[in-house]
Amino acid sequence: MAGGASCPELAGAVCEAGALGFLAGGLKTAGSLYQEIKRVRRMTARPFGVNLFMPASARPADPAAVEVYRHQLAGEITWYETPLGDADDIRDDAYDAKLAILLEDPVPVVSFTFGCPTPEALASLARAGTYTIVTVTSAEEALTARQAGADAVCVQGIEAGGHQGTFRDDPADDDTRGTGLLTLLTQVRDSVPLPIVAAGGIMRGAQIAAVLAAGADAAQLGTAFLPCPESGALPLHKAALTDPLFTRTALTRAFSGRQARGLVNRFLREHGPYAPAAYPEVQHLTAPLRKAAANAGDAQGLALWAGQGHRLARDLPAGQLVGVFAAELDTALAQQAPRSTT
C-alpha cells in the first residue's frame, strides 16, 4: 500500500498484535524509507517486512501517448486550479539505493512488486538473513521467482486493490489479464513448490481459512487495514470504502499509467478509457491533481485504491482488527474440522 497508507504506525501496530506488518517502500525516497524503518524498530521488536517496487520496464512509454493524455487532462487543470506534473521529473523509484539500505541494515522480510529481482540480489538478501517474497499474478511468474531464488511467492488475485503486481504491464493484455485468487492459488500450487502468501479481496477470517484450505500458507490483507486509525490513508479515502456513493471497483490506468484497482469515481470514469500504459510518467503527471483534490476534500479526484471486498471494511484499531481476524479464523477452522462419529 504505497503512497502513505502502510506507514510505520500501521506496520508496528500489526506486528505488536501478532501478525506480520509491512512497510511500503514504493513511491518514497531511499532516505525516507531508512527513517521509516527506524521508526518501526522503535515501535516493535517483532519481525516486520518492507515491500519494494521493481524498476519500471525497460520499454519506454510512448511520449506521444503521454502528450495526448496531457491534453485529455486539460479540464482538470481548470477544475483544480493547478498545473499538471512533469512526466519526466522522476524516472525510477530509487530501487538500487533502497536495496542497498536493506542489505546494509537488514530487515526480517522483503517483498517485491512489479517484477522479480535478479538471482544475485535475492542471494545477497539471503546471506543477510532476509526472507524474500515475490508478488506474482500467474504460474509462469511464480516459476520465474523460484528460479531466481525467492523464498516464497505472494499470489495476487485479480480481486486485489491497488496496482496489479504483474511482471509485464502490456496494454494488449488488459482485456484478458487477471485470474481469481482461488483459481490462481491452485495453478501456482500445482506448478511451483514454494510457500504461498495469498492476496486479493480478503476481508474476513473465513476468507483466510478458505485460502489456507486452497493451498496458501498465509494470507495478506491490505484494503481491510485502510480504515484503521493507524493507517496513513487520507480520511476521504477511508470514508469512501463504505460510502454508498462508491458501489464498485475497476481496474484503471487513469492515475498512474499502470493497471490498478480502485473505487469508481468521476476521474476514473472520465479518464480511464484514455490513459496510456505509461508508468511512472502518468503517476507524476497526475500528482498535483490528486493533491489538489485531497486539499479540496474531493474524493471524486482521488486514486481511491481498494479491493473488491471494500464494502466489508471495518473501522477498528489495527491491533483489535488482527484479533478479530484471528477469532474469525479459529471459528472457521473449527467448522471445517471433521466431526467425530460415535
Side-chain angles (χ1 to χ4, degrees):
M1 298 192 293
S6 183
C7 57
E9 290 72 22
L10 180 59
V14 168
C15 290
E16 283 295 281
L20 179 66
F22 258 84
L23 183 64
L27 304 180
K28 64 185 59 164
T29 66
S32 295
L33 176 61
Y34 176 73
Q35 292 300 325
E36 291 193 358
I37 290 172
K38 288 176 63 177
R39 284 166 58 191
V40 174
R41 285 183 167 137
R42 287 196 294 267
M43 296 179 64
T44 182
R46 293 182 58 84
F48 67 96
V50 172
N51 174 258
L52 295 184
F53 284 175
M54 292 298 297
S57 169
R59 184 184 63 183
D62 180 357
V66 175
E67 187 62 22
V68 168
Y69 194 53
R70 180 186 294 275
H71 289 292
Q72 165 71 22
L73 297 173
E76 303 292 343
I77 299 173
T78 303
W79 182 258
Y80 290 114
E81 299 180 337
T82 188
L84 297 176
D86 183 357
D88 299 322
D89 185 25
I90 301 175
R91 285 293 181 178
D92 63 60
D93 196 47
Y95 168 79
D96 290 335
K98 293 172 185 176
L99 184 61
I101 289 171
L102 294 170
L103 288 171
E104 182 177 342
D105 190 11
V107 300
V109 184
V110 173
S111 68
F112 299 88
T113 302
F114 301 159
C116 183
T118 63
E120 292 76 17
L122 291 170
S124 295
L125 287 166
R127 287 193 294 271
T130 296
Y131 191 87
T132 55
I133 305 172
V134 174
T135 304
V136 301
T137 61
S138 69
E140 292 76 16
E141 291 177 352
L143 180 59
T144 297
R146 182 201 179 198
Q147 292 172 338
D151 291 311
V153 290
C154 176
V155 174
Q156 184 194 53
I158 193 67
E159 305 93 336
H163 286 93
Q164 301 293 291
T166 181
F167 291 7
R168 187 187 72 167
D169 187 40
D170 190 338
D173 297 335
D174 283 359
D175 293 334
T176 58
R177 177 182 293 138
T179 303
L181 178 57
L182 292 180
T183 297
L184 187 57
L185 280 174
T186 302
Q187 292 173 346
V188 173
R189 174 58 69 198
D190 289 350
S191 304
V192 179
L194 281 179
I196 292 175
V197 180
I202 302 173
M203 303 291 289
R204 293 288 188 268
Q207 292 172 296
I208 298 174
V211 297
L212 296 179
D217 299 281
Q220 176 175 291
L221 290 75
T223 302
F225 285 93
L226 282 180
C228 295
E230 299 91 345
S231 161
L234 293 171
L236 279 173
H237 192 168
K238 295 181 181 184
L241 294 172
T242 53
D243 188 332
L245 186 63
F246 302 104
T247 59
R248 64 187 181 92
T249 65
L251 291 172
T252 186
R253 297 182 184 274
F255 298 99
S256 71
R258 190 178 177 104
Q259 285 278 52
R261 183 176 296 284
L263 301 179
V264 176
N265 59 5
R266 178 193 61 79
F267 197 101
L268 190 154
R269 285 192 302 269
E270 293 182 2
H271 302 298
Y274 309 100
Y279 176 88
E281 287 82 358
V282 171
Q283 174 82 18
H284 301 304
L285 195 67
T286 64
L289 299 177
R290 291 180 276 116
K291 182 177 180 179
N295 290 337
D298 182 10
Q300 296 294 340
L302 295 177
L304 300 171
W305 303 140
Q308 288 184 341
H310 66 96
R311 303 287 294 180
L312 299 173
R314 295 176 283 203
D315 182 5
L316 295 172
Q320 184 179 343
L321 187 57
V322 170
V324 169
F325 286 134
E328 291 175 343
L329 175 60
D330 287 344
T331 298
L333 293 176
Q335 293 172 343
Q336 290 177 3
R339 297 179 180 178
S340 61
T341 58
T342 57

Tab-separated table of all heavy atoms in Angstrom, residues 1 3-9 11-12 22-43 48 50 107:
chain	number	residue	atom	x	y	z
A	1	MET	N	0.851	-1.192	0.000
A	1	MET	CA	0.000	0.000	0.000
A	1	MET	C	0.884	1.239	0.000
A	1	MET	O	0.967	1.982	0.975
A	1	MET	CB	-0.947	-0.022	1.184
A	1	MET	CG	-1.921	-1.202	1.178
A	1	MET	SD	-3.224	-1.030	2.386
A	1	MET	CE	-2.278	-1.150	3.925
A	3	GLY	N	2.353	4.982	-1.044
A	3	GLY	CA	1.683	6.261	-1.095
A	3	GLY	C	1.271	6.797	0.257
A	3	GLY	O	0.603	7.824	0.342
A	4	GLY	N	1.635	6.112	1.339
A	4	GLY	CA	1.379	6.636	2.668
A	4	GLY	C	0.505	5.788	3.557
A	4	GLY	O	0.538	5.923	4.783
A	5	ALA	N	-0.315	4.904	2.979
A	5	ALA	CA	-1.239	4.115	3.802
A	5	ALA	C	-0.504	3.162	4.731
A	5	ALA	O	-0.810	3.057	5.918
A	5	ALA	CB	-2.207	3.348	2.907
A	6	SER	N	0.476	2.450	4.202
A	6	SER	CA	1.224	1.486	5.013
A	6	SER	C	2.409	2.193	5.654
A	6	SER	O	3.540	2.096	5.193
A	6	SER	CB	1.698	0.315	4.148
A	6	SER	OG	2.356	-0.653	4.923
A	7	CYS	N	2.130	2.899	6.715
A	7	CYS	CA	3.118	3.728	7.398
A	7	CYS	C	3.698	2.985	8.604
A	7	CYS	O	3.222	1.914	8.971
A	7	CYS	CB	2.463	5.031	7.828
A	7	CYS	SG	1.013	4.781	8.885
A	8	PRO	N	4.731	3.524	9.254
A	8	PRO	CA	5.308	2.839	10.413
A	8	PRO	C	4.300	2.553	11.512
A	8	PRO	O	4.363	1.499	12.161
A	8	PRO	CB	6.387	3.826	10.883
A	8	PRO	CG	6.801	4.532	9.641
A	8	PRO	CD	5.540	4.692	8.839
A	9	GLU	N	3.364	3.477	11.756
A	9	GLU	CA	2.391	3.281	12.825
A	9	GLU	C	1.507	2.069	12.561
A	9	GLU	O	1.221	1.284	13.477
A	9	GLU	CB	1.537	4.540	12.986
A	9	GLU	CG	2.274	5.730	13.555
A	9	GLU	CD	3.264	6.373	12.587
A	9	GLU	OE1	3.110	6.180	11.362
A	9	GLU	OE2	4.189	7.060	13.056
A	11	ALA	N	2.216	-0.529	10.423
A	11	ALA	CA	3.049	-1.739	10.423
A	11	ALA	C	3.399	-2.158	11.848
A	11	ALA	O	3.327	-3.335	12.211
A	11	ALA	CB	4.320	-1.500	9.611
A	12	GLY	N	3.764	-1.191	12.681
A	12	GLY	CA	4.129	-1.511	14.052
A	12	GLY	C	2.974	-2.060	14.859
A	12	GLY	O	3.131	-3.015	15.632
A	22	PHE	N	3.805	-4.825	7.322
A	22	PHE	CA	4.678	-4.471	6.209
A	22	PHE	C	4.737	-2.969	6.041
A	22	PHE	O	3.730	-2.272	6.154
A	22	PHE	CB	4.183	-5.103	4.904
A	22	PHE	CG	4.961	-6.320	4.500
A	22	PHE	CD1	4.652	-7.558	5.033
A	22	PHE	CD2	6.010	-6.239	3.596
A	22	PHE	CE1	5.359	-8.692	4.682
A	22	PHE	CE2	6.731	-7.359	3.232
A	22	PHE	CZ	6.405	-8.599	3.770
A	23	LEU	N	5.923	-2.481	5.734
A	23	LEU	CA	6.151	-1.076	5.451
A	23	LEU	C	6.312	-0.911	3.944
A	23	LEU	O	7.114	-1.607	3.323
A	23	LEU	CB	7.419	-0.598	6.166
A	23	LEU	CG	7.795	0.870	6.051
A	23	LEU	CD1	6.738	1.748	6.706
A	23	LEU	CD2	9.159	1.104	6.696
A	24	ALA	N	5.538	-0.013	3.345
A	24	ALA	CA	5.627	0.211	1.908
A	24	ALA	C	6.874	1.020	1.580
A	24	ALA	O	7.095	2.092	2.141
A	24	ALA	CB	4.381	0.948	1.413
A	25	GLY	N	7.687	0.505	0.673
A	25	GLY	CA	8.892	1.219	0.270
A	25	GLY	C	8.737	1.967	-1.036
A	25	GLY	O	9.590	2.778	-1.404
A	26	GLY	N	7.642	1.719	-1.762
A	26	GLY	CA	7.439	2.374	-3.049
A	26	GLY	C	7.014	3.816	-2.916
A	26	GLY	O	6.453	4.232	-1.901
A	27	LEU	N	7.316	4.591	-3.950
A	27	LEU	CA	6.886	5.988	-4.042
A	27	LEU	C	7.409	6.849	-2.901
A	27	LEU	O	6.727	7.761	-2.430
A	27	LEU	CB	5.355	6.089	-4.123
A	27	LEU	CG	4.683	5.306	-5.255
A	27	LEU	CD1	3.182	5.503	-5.204
A	27	LEU	CD2	5.249	5.711	-6.606
A	28	LYS	N	8.620	6.546	-2.444
A	28	LYS	CA	9.271	7.400	-1.455
A	28	LYS	C	10.776	7.354	-1.700
A	28	LYS	O	11.277	6.454	-2.391
A	28	LYS	CB	8.933	6.974	-0.025
A	28	LYS	CG	9.420	5.604	0.378
A	28	LYS	CD	8.951	5.210	1.766
A	28	LYS	CE	7.469	5.186	1.902
A	28	LYS	NZ	6.963	4.469	3.084
A	29	THR	N	11.492	8.308	-1.163
A	29	THR	CA	12.939	8.334	-1.340
A	29	THR	C	13.598	7.264	-0.480
A	29	THR	O	13.021	6.762	0.489
A	29	THR	CB	13.511	9.700	-0.952
A	29	THR	OG1	13.337	9.900	0.464
A	29	THR	CG2	12.818	10.824	-1.714
A	30	ALA	N	14.831	6.947	-0.832
A	30	ALA	CA	15.582	5.978	-0.036
A	30	ALA	C	15.793	6.500	1.384
A	30	ALA	O	15.715	5.743	2.352
A	30	ALA	CB	16.925	5.686	-0.707
A	31	GLY	N	16.026	7.796	1.519
A	31	GLY	CA	16.214	8.369	2.847
A	31	GLY	C	14.966	8.270	3.698
A	31	GLY	O	15.044	7.976	4.904
A	32	SER	N	13.802	8.501	3.078
A	32	SER	CA	12.544	8.388	3.817
A	32	SER	C	12.309	6.954	4.271
A	32	SER	O	11.863	6.715	5.395
A	32	SER	CB	11.372	8.862	2.944
A	32	SER	OG	11.494	10.239	2.658
A	33	LEU	N	12.609	5.993	3.385
A	33	LEU	CA	12.440	4.589	3.761
A	33	LEU	C	13.340	4.245	4.941
A	33	LEU	O	12.910	3.567	5.891
A	33	LEU	CB	12.755	3.682	2.576
A	33	LEU	CG	12.698	2.177	2.867
A	33	LEU	CD1	11.301	1.754	3.311
A	33	LEU	CD2	13.124	1.374	1.633
A	34	TYR	N	14.570	4.702	4.914
A	34	TYR	CA	15.512	4.431	6.007
A	34	TYR	C	14.967	4.949	7.330
A	34	TYR	O	15.004	4.249	8.358
A	34	TYR	CB	16.861	5.072	5.686
A	34	TYR	CG	17.880	4.941	6.785
A	34	TYR	CD1	18.498	3.715	7.047
A	34	TYR	CD2	18.233	6.041	7.561
A	34	TYR	CE1	19.427	3.596	8.060
A	34	TYR	CE2	19.176	5.930	8.575
A	34	TYR	CZ	19.766	4.708	8.823
A	34	TYR	OH	20.685	4.590	9.829
A	35	GLN	N	14.449	6.170	7.321
A	35	GLN	CA	13.910	6.756	8.546
A	35	GLN	C	12.667	6.010	9.020
A	35	GLN	O	12.464	5.824	10.228
A	35	GLN	CB	13.589	8.234	8.314
A	35	GLN	CG	14.811	9.110	8.090
A	35	GLN	CD	15.771	9.096	9.272
A	35	GLN	OE1	15.357	9.016	10.434
A	35	GLN	NE2	17.058	9.169	8.995
A	36	GLU	N	11.830	5.558	8.097
A	36	GLU	CA	10.617	4.840	8.495
A	36	GLU	C	10.942	3.466	9.065
A	36	GLU	O	10.265	2.987	9.985
A	36	GLU	CB	9.661	4.739	7.305
A	36	GLU	CG	9.063	6.087	6.915
A	36	GLU	CD	7.903	5.960	5.967
A	36	GLU	OE1	7.558	4.817	5.562
A	36	GLU	OE2	7.315	7.003	5.615
A	37	ILE	N	11.956	2.818	8.535
A	37	ILE	CA	12.394	1.541	9.115
A	37	ILE	C	12.843	1.750	10.559
A	37	ILE	O	12.514	0.957	11.453
A	37	ILE	CB	13.527	0.927	8.265
A	37	ILE	CG1	12.987	0.447	6.915
A	37	ILE	CG2	14.187	-0.242	9.007
A	37	ILE	CD1	14.060	0.000	5.939
A	38	LYS	N	13.561	2.823	10.810
A	38	LYS	CA	13.992	3.124	12.175
A	38	LYS	C	12.782	3.345	13.089
A	38	LYS	O	12.773	2.906	14.245
A	38	LYS	CB	14.886	4.371	12.170
A	38	LYS	CG	16.263	4.144	11.566
A	38	LYS	CD	17.070	5.429	11.487
A	38	LYS	CE	17.357	6.012	12.849
A	38	LYS	NZ	18.222	7.229	12.755
A	39	ARG	N	11.758	4.000	12.563
A	39	ARG	CA	10.562	4.244	13.376
A	39	ARG	C	9.854	2.940	13.716
A	39	ARG	O	9.375	2.752	14.842
A	39	ARG	CB	9.622	5.192	12.642
A	39	ARG	CG	10.081	6.645	12.662
A	39	ARG	CD	9.328	7.485	11.667
A	39	ARG	NE	7.881	7.468	11.884
A	39	ARG	CZ	7.000	7.947	11.019
A	39	ARG	NH1	7.429	8.449	9.857
A	39	ARG	NH2	5.715	7.920	11.296
A	40	VAL	N	9.755	2.023	12.752
A	40	VAL	CA	9.126	0.735	13.030
A	40	VAL	C	9.903	-0.009	14.111
A	40	VAL	O	9.310	-0.589	15.033
A	40	VAL	CB	9.033	-0.128	11.752
A	40	VAL	CG1	8.510	-1.524	12.082
A	40	VAL	CG2	8.120	0.525	10.715
A	41	ARG	N	11.203	0.028	14.038
A	41	ARG	CA	12.030	-0.677	15.025
A	41	ARG	C	11.857	-0.092	16.424
A	41	ARG	O	11.987	-0.814	17.420
A	41	ARG	CB	13.491	-0.638	14.592
A	41	ARG	CG	13.794	-1.599	13.453
A	41	ARG	CD	15.253	-1.577	13.094
A	41	ARG	NE	15.580	-2.715	12.225
A	41	ARG	CZ	16.357	-2.639	11.160
A	41	ARG	NH1	16.911	-1.481	10.831
A	41	ARG	NH2	16.606	-3.702	10.425
A	42	ARG	N	11.586	1.202	16.497
A	42	ARG	CA	11.342	1.800	17.807
A	42	ARG	C	9.989	1.389	18.373
A	42	ARG	O	9.782	1.386	19.587
A	42	ARG	CB	11.419	3.332	17.721
A	42	ARG	CG	12.838	3.873	17.563
A	42	ARG	CD	12.902	5.352	17.862
A	42	ARG	NE	12.153	6.157	16.897
A	42	ARG	CZ	12.678	6.694	15.811
A	42	ARG	NH1	13.964	6.523	15.544
A	42	ARG	NH2	11.943	7.422	14.997
A	43	MET	N	9.058	1.020	17.482
A	43	MET	CA	7.709	0.675	17.901
A	43	MET	C	7.558	-0.788	18.283
A	43	MET	O	6.687	-1.138	19.081
A	43	MET	CB	6.710	1.009	16.791
A	43	MET	CG	6.599	2.484	16.462
A	43	MET	SD	5.418	2.764	15.142
A	43	MET	CE	3.918	2.192	15.938
A	48	PHE	N	9.120	-7.705	10.965
A	48	PHE	CA	8.287	-6.930	10.044
A	48	PHE	C	8.894	-7.032	8.652
A	48	PHE	O	9.995	-7.561	8.469
A	48	PHE	CB	8.171	-5.471	10.485
A	48	PHE	CG	9.468	-4.692	10.408
A	48	PHE	CD1	9.758	-3.904	9.305
A	48	PHE	CD2	10.393	-4.751	11.444
A	48	PHE	CE1	10.952	-3.192	9.232
A	48	PHE	CE2	11.581	-4.048	11.393
A	48	PHE	CZ	11.866	-3.258	10.274
A	50	VAL	N	9.375	-5.184	4.501
A	50	VAL	CA	9.420	-3.995	3.650
A	50	VAL	C	9.132	-4.438	2.228
A	50	VAL	O	9.662	-5.458	1.771
A	50	VAL	CB	10.798	-3.306	3.712
A	50	VAL	CG1	10.894	-2.192	2.660
A	50	VAL	CG2	11.062	-2.742	5.101
A	107	VAL	N	16.309	-6.211	7.256
A	107	VAL	CA	15.038	-6.415	7.951
A	107	VAL	C	14.660	-7.888	7.772
A	107	VAL	O	15.198	-8.577	6.907
A	107	VAL	CB	13.939	-5.491	7.394
A	107	VAL	CG1	14.339	-4.028	7.553
A	107	VAL	CG2	13.650	-5.798	5.928
